[in-house]
Amino acid sequence: MPSEPTLLSDVAGVAVMLLVLGLPGLLTGLAAGLRGWALAGLAPLLSYAIGGLAGPWTHALGLPYNPLTFALTTLVFAAVAFGLRRLTLRRWPPEPEPGLWARRGHFAVIACVVVTAVIGGYAAIYGMGHLGAIAQGGDAPYAANGVRYVASTGDGSLTGMGTLNWYGDATPPFYPNAYHLLAALQYQLSGASIPLTLDVNTMLLPGLLALSLVVLVREFRGRAVLAGAVALASAAPVMSTYESMSRGPLYPFLLGLALTPLAAVALRRYLGRAAPDTAFVLVLGAVGLLCVHSSTLFGAVLFAGPMLVQRWAEPGARLKRIGRDLLALLPIAVVSVLVAWLQLFGALGLASSTLPYLGWPIEYRATTALGALLGFQHWEPQPQLWLSVALLLGFVFFGRLGRLRWIGLSALVSGLAYMAVASSNSSLVMALSRPWWDDPYRFISMAIVPLAFIAGHGVASLQAWIAERLPARVPAAAVGTVVLLGFVVVTNGLYAQSNGGRLAAGYRAADPRTLNITPDEERAMVELGKLAKPGEWAMNDRYDGTVWTYALTGTRTVAAHDDGTAPPSDAVLLAAHFKEYPTNPAVRAAVARLNVHWVILGRPAAPPEPAYQSAGLVGLDGLPFLRQVYRNDDAVIYQLKG
């Protein structure tokens, strides 16, 4: 198929992705005084913050968003970070951070993160079939077209991507675009296809989540074996990332989910030492989460808020501690609003708009939803029982979590939120769940992250329990190695095969002609890209797969997304009456306004359904104003005559 890349393009795509996601954040983090695990974990979040702000800012200043302006923005942020760090060292010199893990502990944790990333990446690629596969879900073309749009136009605004589908007299919606902005740079620098660019980012997610959780454990002074066990456990649940890789895929949500634990890291570092350098990291971290997706910041509050509860409940001057923390957080909130006012006002405008909010149907009774959480089984045929066993051990040894006991409250809050969304469509539940579109899949993913953490704690506690009962001559590190390897083995490689199989439903099928975007439809879109001149548009149906045309070729189509909410009047007119072109002046005028020169139709629906949802595209064969220029088993391209 045209989307199948070469080994060289795969390697280039992965390398450029790591460069774009890592280098800006590393430079800025180093300048801000971050080192070690904190630097490694926070670097991607800082990179997304820089890119997520650079896009809208450059648009507001009338500048293009491209690798050059992104690099200049990185230098600006790094310079600010360096200045604030120098100020901190002069006025409020920090104490050296005490050591925690032995050298071999660091290497062991690195090994666990690498193993997790490899196994998680394998599960993703196994599900896709190959890197560069086209995601079949309805959210994918919006992201794919958006990445191509940013790369092609340099428009990094918060509504620019929407103009592909909502143009003319339609109003393009606000959409946070940090994911798309950095993916656009990867696309430009690597020369990879849009599907490959999206897929390498998706492949990274399990490893990115594992790294975030390791940094969380390290920040809260947890044992190295706990960090390694949590890393491994995070990639095992099917509901954490793999379900939503298959469904949608929900690219920005999943990215935000993987970065969410870092909110607690940045918050604790700041409250432990309120200074300009730690404030900078917290502001940029919070803004980065908001730039990835509005719901991510709310999710971070659900995840990290319980940390404040544990902090404020500790013995001592509680009221004084609470007041001091709230006072310290006030300037953070003010600066964050000023820095991210474009995103905040866009989100508020979307919430108060007339865009329909219908939510999702309920899934289960509340008790069944609870079983789905504890059994790590959503819609899958089998529960992931070894994770349930590890979770049980985590609850049995819960007191050993120490400074991380607040994770239990995170699991409780997010778990109850999922149970409510899965079992009720009451007005209160609908209102509270609006940032996540009342979507049970998103809520169960958010709940599974802290539950997987507790499961990892159960594995680590098993290692400690065994080590305490063995002779002193048996190294605890050896026990840890055996226990962690045993966990990987009993879970059949962290359930990689079954998780990948769940993901596969969103990318491939035994009969490729049953896919939403079939290989022949893809070939036709690529052929259209060769035929069409720059600026020429193609008429298409909203639901037959051809909405991917712009992402694959750069040729605009009348419909660029399967979301038909409040479409442009020209799109409505042409969908209903396009075949009346010879006799309908309004149709001819719309065709002229949009510069439509082509028609591309994908695989028609089977009877008794109409061949296409757009009545104006049914029965085009043989019409005198069209010339057929390409056809295969699933698609056809016509050129308008004259």
Side-chain angles (χ1 to χ4, degrees):
M1 295 196 313
S3 62
E4 291 187 6
T6 64
L7 177 61
L8 180 61
S9 64
D10 283 351
V11 172
V14 173
V16 171
M17 172 198 65
L18 295 174
L19 177 70
V20 172
L21 267 59
L23 185 59
L26 285 173
L27 292 175
T28 305
L30 278 170
L34 296 175
R35 298 294 185 271
W37 284 101
L39 176 62
L42 285 163
L45 178 56
L46 299 180
S47 294
Y48 276 107
I50 294 167
L53 292 172
W57 284 1
T58 53
H59 178 77
L61 295 172
L63 299 173
Y65 174 81
N66 55 36
L68 176 60
T69 51
F70 177 67
L72 292 175
T73 306
T74 298
L75 292 178
V76 170
F77 276 101
V80 172
F82 180 78
L84 292 175
R85 178 65 176 175
R86 296 291 294 177
L87 175 63
T88 300
L89 293 175
R90 286 200 307 267
R91 300 287 300 275
W92 306 277
E95 296 290 332
E97 293 189 11
L100 179 61
W101 300 338
R103 181 184 295 271
R104 66 182 180 185
H106 285 286
F107 284 125
V109 175
I110 291 171
C112 288
V113 172
V114 170
V115 168
T116 303
V118 170
I119 292 177
Y122 163 77
I125 297 172
Y126 171 75
M128 295 170 186
H130 61 86
L131 288 176
I134 291 180
Q136 301 293 309
D139 294 283
Y142 186 85
N145 289 332
V147 171
R148 179 91 182 219
Y149 174 84
V150 173
S152 299
T153 66
D155 179 2
S157 68
L158 295 164
T159 58
M161 299 186 306
T163 60
L164 291 173
N165 193 60
W166 290 277
Y167 46 83
D169 56 2
T171 302
F174 158 83
Y175 199 87
N177 60 349
Y179 172 89
H180 311 82
L181 290 166
L182 265 66
L185 297 178
Q186 297 168 39
Y187 170 69
Q188 288 176 286
L189 295 173
S190 69
S193 68
I194 293 292
L196 178 59
T197 301
L198 299 179
D199 287 354
V200 294
N201 281 274
T202 301
M203 178 192 72
L204 175 71
L205 290 171
L208 193 59
L209 175 59
L211 177 60
S212 297
L213 291 173
V214 164
V215 175
L216 178 69
V217 173
R218 169 78 179 177
E219 180 63 30
F220 284 82
R221 312 290 296 170
R223 296 187 305 140
V225 69
L226 174 61
V230 165
L232 294 170
S234 69
V238 68
M239 300 102 82
S240 60
T241 56
Y242 305 105
E243 271 196 344
S244 291
M245 288 180 188
S246 173
R247 173 183 168 273
L250 304 176
Y251 296 117
F253 168 77
L254 289 172
L255 172 62
L257 185 74
L259 298 174
T260 290
L262 298 172
V265 174
L267 180 59
R268 185 179 187 275
R269 292 178 67 86
Y270 173 69
L271 293 179
R273 182 178 63 83
D277 57 345
T278 56
F280 173 83
V281 172
L282 179 57
V283 168
L284 211 56
V287 169
L289 293 173
L290 178 64
C291 289
V292 168
H293 200 273
S294 308
S295 67
T296 302
L297 188 57
F298 290 103
V301 172
L302 288 179
F303 183 86
M307 184 205 77
L308 293 177
V309 174
Q310 179 174 335
R311 176 183 171 87
W312 293 342
E314 290 175 353
R318 291 190 178 96
L319 291 178
K320 183 178 180 180
R321 188 184 310 125
I322 293 172
R324 185 175 63 246
D325 285 354
L326 292 177
L327 188 62
L329 289 173
L330 181 60
I332 299 297
V334 172
V335 174
S336 297
V337 169
L338 293 176
V339 171
W341 69 270
L342 288 173
Q343 284 81 3
L344 288 170
F345 278 95
L348 292 173
L350 179 64
S352 60
S353 70
T354 58
L355 189 70
Y357 169 54
L358 303 176
W360 290 84
I362 61 174
E363 292 185 333
Y364 304 126
R365 295 173 57 186
T367 50
T368 309
L370 176 61
L373 290 171
L374 300 180
F376 294 86
Q377 180 186 21
H378 194 196
W379 294 110
E380 292 70 36
Q382 300 294 332
Q384 295 177 313
L385 288 179
W386 285 109
L387 280 172
S388 299
V389 172
L391 179 64
L392 176 61
L393 290 174
F395 287 136
V396 169
F397 294 106
F398 187 78
R400 296 191 181 205
L401 267 174
R403 298 177 183 178
L404 284 161
R405 291 192 306 273
W406 58 267
I407 289 286
L409 184 55
S410 294
L412 178 64
V413 171
S414 55
L416 289 173
Y418 165 67
M419 291 168 62
V421 168
S423 62
S424 173
N425 272 337
S426 70
S427 56
L428 177 61
V429 170
M430 292 281 288
L432 293 177
S433 62
R434 181 161 187 168
W436 301 272
W437 295 96
D438 185 50
D439 183 2
Y441 281 81
R442 302 182 202 223
F443 277 90
I444 199 170
S445 294
M446 291 190 295
I448 286 298
V449 170
L451 286 175
F453 188 103
I454 297 172
H457 165 62
V459 175
S461 297
L462 177 63
Q463 177 270 342
W465 185 86
I466 294 174
E468 290 163 3
R469 284 155 179 79
L470 289 176
R473 65 177 180 272
V474 180
V479 178
T481 302
V482 171
V483 170
L484 293 182
L485 284 175
F487 177 70
V488 173
V489 170
V490 298
T491 56
N492 198 20
L494 305 180
Y495 297 107
Q497 202 82 4
S498 59
N499 289 341
R502 178 66 178 87
L503 190 152
Y507 283 87
R508 54 190 173 91
D511 180 3
R513 297 194 70 195
T514 64
L515 293 170
N516 294 332
I517 301 96
T518 71
D520 273 346
E521 285 181 329
E522 183 185 348
R523 291 185 180 95
M525 287 185 272
V526 171
E527 185 65 25
L528 177 62
K530 299 174 183 177
L531 294 170
K533 297 176 182 177
E536 293 182 344
W537 285 36
M539 181 62 198
N540 68 319
D541 186 74
R542 192 174 295 278
Y543 303 105
D544 68 357
T546 57
V547 289
W548 269 86
T549 300
Y550 182 77
L552 297 177
T553 70
T555 300
R556 290 284 301 268
T557 51
V558 172
H561 187 26
D562 64 2
D563 186 348
T565 304
S569 58
D570 281 346
V572 174
L573 173 67
L574 294 179
H577 302 286
F578 178 77
K579 62 185 175 184
E580 302 169 15
Y581 176 82
T583 59
N584 190 327
V587 170
R588 292 199 300 275
V591 166
R593 278 193 298 272
L594 299 180
N595 199 29
V596 174
H597 286 256
W598 307 88
V599 180
I600 181 169
L601 297 176
R603 182 173 171 81
E609 297 296 323
Y612 302 101
Q613 295 293 316
S614 303
L617 296 177
V618 176
L620 296 187
D621 272 346
L623 294 183
F625 71 98
L626 296 174
R627 178 189 302 111
Q628 179 181 305
V629 295
Y630 177 85
R631 180 181 288 274
N632 61 34
D633 288 344
D634 288 343
V636 61
I637 300 173
Y638 302 100
Q639 183 178 23
L640 271 70
K641 295 180 180 178

